[in-house]
Amino acid sequence: MRERQVGFVFQHYALFRHMTVFENVAFGLRVRPKSTRPSDAEIKRRVHELLDLVQLDWLGDRYPAQLSGGQRQRIALARALAVEPKVLLLDEPFGALDTKVRKELRRWLKRLHDEMHVTSVFVTHDQEEALEVADRVVVMNKGRIEQIGTPDAVYDAPASPFVYQFLGDVNLFHSRVHGGFAQVGGLDVPAGAQDSAIAYVRPHDIEIERTQLGDALPVLIDHVRAIGSIVRLDMHLDSGDPVEAEMSRDAYSDKAFKAGERVFIRPRSAKVFAEDFSI
């Protein structure tokens, strides 16, 4: 009966420094018991196939110290795949890499996974990484599972305040509940039977106007920062509580809000949790 293999990719590569790239990838095959060890010709074929798969076949005779961080991690992945694992475990595999390389590798890994069809468990503290790479997300808090679902389901319908805050920036608005609804800036949000609640609102779900419409909340703009394709506005309510909003550069150019300006905000959508919700 064929043994079930588990492939493991570490955060810090864990490549053998004294071995070439080729020998690192071949390692798992060479240490198999003699009865199940492939022939040298088969090992050579398999290693070159994997190096070609991770687009690094031309580096087979080099050593880990001669590679970039992204190249080392791809070699570590090829080594894990060499034993034809039934399950692939990746423990923060891109944690030691810079942001640009991380983004390139996770797109590459997604394409590779679609080709290989290996069940993979990817551990990460990077929320964007989890939402982009995974077919299914498990959010854990202190060893306890908070929520399991597709990336869209977990992001759009968080099951707890922890999940809401873990998967991106969020604003908190304290509200009283009347008739089962909490009102936040003119938006009525279903809130159940509790007397008070906290509404969670994403920065991109906040509308900003110069004139007050209905029960829109007055705020004072503290800072305006352009960050790539978005503009972020740091504001505060009359109570002093901070509020953060985001809009596209195009939307901002039409409004041109300035620091020190008093404006009014309304949430487009919100999620309400009881104030005593256990986190």
Side-chain angles (χ1 to χ4, degrees):
M1 184 176 71
R2 185 179 175 182
E3 57 186 8
R4 292 184 177 273
Q5 298 282 358
V6 176
F8 202 106
V9 180
F10 299 89
Q11 178 176 348
H12 293 288
Y13 326 126
L15 297 176
F16 300 113
R17 291 178 292 177
H18 65 288
M19 292 183 180
T20 64
V21 164
F22 181 95
E23 290 301 328
N24 264 282
V25 177
F27 179 78
L29 299 173
R30 293 202 191 282
V31 297
R32 279 184 173 177
K34 192 171 182 179
S35 59
T36 60
R37 187 185 309 154
S39 66
D40 286 345
E42 176 60 19
I43 290 175
K44 183 177 181 180
R45 184 199 67 78
R46 179 66 176 156
V47 171
H48 282 298
E49 180 183 83
L50 286 166
L51 288 177
D52 184 60
L53 184 67
V54 300
Q55 302 170 353
L56 293 176
D57 193 33
W58 54 284
L59 293 177
D61 59 349
R62 297 196 186 180
Y63 289 86
Q66 297 174 292
L67 309 181
S68 69
Q71 289 171 337
R72 292 179 197 176
Q73 198 56 287
R74 282 194 274 170
I75 294 302
L77 182 58
R79 183 179 62 180
L81 292 171
V83 296
E84 299 181 292
K86 293 294 184 183
V87 178
L88 183 63
L89 304 180
L90 302 102
D91 183 15
E92 298 194 62
F94 307 147
L97 304 173
D98 63 52
T99 302
K100 183 176 184 297
V101 176
R102 288 173 72 108
K103 288 185 177 181
E104 291 173 353
L105 278 183
R106 70 190 186 213
R107 285 193 290 266
W108 170 82
L109 179 63
K110 183 69 174 176
R111 292 194 299 270
L112 182 67
H113 184 268
D114 291 341
E115 292 178 23
M116 298 292 293
H117 302 293
V118 178
T119 299
S120 303
V121 179
F122 190 107
V123 179
T124 181
H125 286 87
D126 186 317
Q127 301 90 336
E128 185 178 324
E129 196 164 75
L131 295 174
E132 181 175 348
V133 171
D135 298 312
R136 202 160 176 79
V137 175
V138 179
V139 182
M140 299 189 70
N141 177 24
K142 299 177 182 178
R144 181 185 67 188
I145 293 177
E146 293 274 345
Q147 188 172 358
I148 302 175
T150 65
D152 285 346
V154 172
Y155 186 84
D156 293 336
S160 70
F162 176 84
V163 176
Y164 217 117
Q165 294 180 82
F166 185 74
L167 295 178
D169 296 332
V170 66
N171 295 291
L172 275 59
F173 296 92
H174 295 268
S175 177
R176 304 299 299 176
V177 177
H178 300 284
F181 288 87
Q183 188 176 78
V184 183
L187 179 69
D188 290 326
V189 187
Q194 65 263 19
D195 294 325
S196 59
I198 299 177
Y200 291 68
V201 183
R202 300 282 186 205
H204 59 261
D205 282 328
I206 288 182
E207 296 179 350
I208 309 174
E209 299 292 344
R210 286 191 167 91
T211 56
Q212 186 171 23
L213 300 175
D215 295 323
L217 301 171
V219 296
L220 187 68
I221 300 176
D222 298 314
H223 302 285
V224 178
R225 294 172 290 161
I227 306 173
S229 61
I230 66 167
V231 175
R232 183 170 296 156
L233 295 92
D234 295 323
M235 306 171 285
H236 67 267
L237 297 164
D238 290 344
S239 63
D241 291 340
V243 178
E244 184 179 277
E246 292 178 355
M247 60 178 61
S248 69
R249 278 181 177 265
D250 288 342
Y252 176 77
S253 65
D254 292 337
K255 305 280 187 176
F257 297 114
K258 303 296 182 184
E261 190 173 356
R262 188 172 177 81
V263 294
F264 301 89
I265 62 170
R266 293 171 56 92
R268 281 187 286 265
S269 64
K271 174 79 172 180
V272 167
F273 295 97
E275 287 206 66
D276 60 351
F277 196 103
S278 176
I279 298 179

